[in-house]
Amino acid sequence: MAAGEVQVVPLGAQHYEAWCTMREALFEGERRDLLDAEAKQITELGTLKGQPFACFIALIDTAPVGFAEATVRSSAEECLTSPVVYLEAWYVAPQARGSGVGRELLDAVEEWGTARGCREMASDTRTDNDLSLAAHLALGFEDAGVIRCFRKSIGG
């Protein structure tokens, strides 16, 4: 891909299919029906799990090459303030990595969170995702430690 100027825009209908394709690449191994249901909730309600939500698409020469999804949460691990902007998903296509796309996406998320009263941003990644760890650290995140999370269905 030729190096063009990175433009970051809010998710629009014209980017929906590219966004879904990039989400599948990021969440490799996740069930497609669950990803589709989540994408539908996001676009229809403008929320994710009832939390304020934003999605930004990175473009180079009008081609979608990445995205970032964010919510506003009341708290996050090791954060001292509330609310916190939470980076729910962050993806840059392999051919666009190292070109500033990831930083531009994070800048958009930071601006969105700041406008909503957030003074901290949090994120997470799988413990075996060394690429994500390196990207987070390179762009100013501090490692807040590793925890193991559990879930259990109840009531039916």
Side-chain angles (χ1 to χ4, degrees):
M1 168 176 290
E5 186 175 327
V6 179
Q7 180 184 15
V8 175
V9 298
L11 173 66
Q14 71 274 29
H15 306 119
Y16 184 82
E17 290 302 322
W19 173 58
C20 287
T21 299
M22 290 186 289
R23 287 183 101 237
E24 279 188 74
L26 177 62
F27 299 116
E28 185 179 2
E30 292 291 325
R31 289 182 23 205
R32 175 65 192 245
D33 62 322
L34 295 178
L35 288 173
D36 288 345
E38 187 173 67
K40 185 177 179 182
Q41 175 193 6
I42 288 167
T43 55
E44 288 180 0
L45 301 177
T47 65
L48 180 64
K49 300 174 186 162
Q51 299 163 330
F53 175 87
C55 180
F56 299 96
I57 302 293
L59 307 168
I60 295 180
D61 299 326
T62 72
V65 295
F67 73 93
E69 298 174 4
T71 58
V72 174
R73 296 184 180 188
S74 61
S75 64
E77 291 297 321
E78 298 299 317
C79 288
L80 304 175
T81 62
S82 180
V84 175
V85 63
Y86 202 90
L87 185 62
E88 299 286 349
W90 182 32
Y91 177 80
V92 176
Q95 73 274 16
R97 292 178 184 157
S99 65
V101 170
R103 180 176 302 282
E104 293 289 333
L105 286 165
L106 278 189
D107 287 349
V109 169
E110 285 183 28
E111 185 176 314
W112 181 80
T114 300
R116 279 145 190 83
C118 300
R119 295 186 7 227
E120 291 179 281
M121 180 167 29
S123 183
D124 61 54
T125 189
R126 295 186 186 272
T127 57
D128 62 349
N129 192 337
D130 294 332
L131 180 64
S132 180
L133 172 63
H136 279 84
L137 294 175
L139 292 177
F141 281 90
E142 298 172 11
D143 192 333
V146 177
I147 61 169
R148 194 149 198 128
C149 300
F150 300 91
R151 66 167 296 281
K152 177 181 176 181
S153 296
I154 59 172

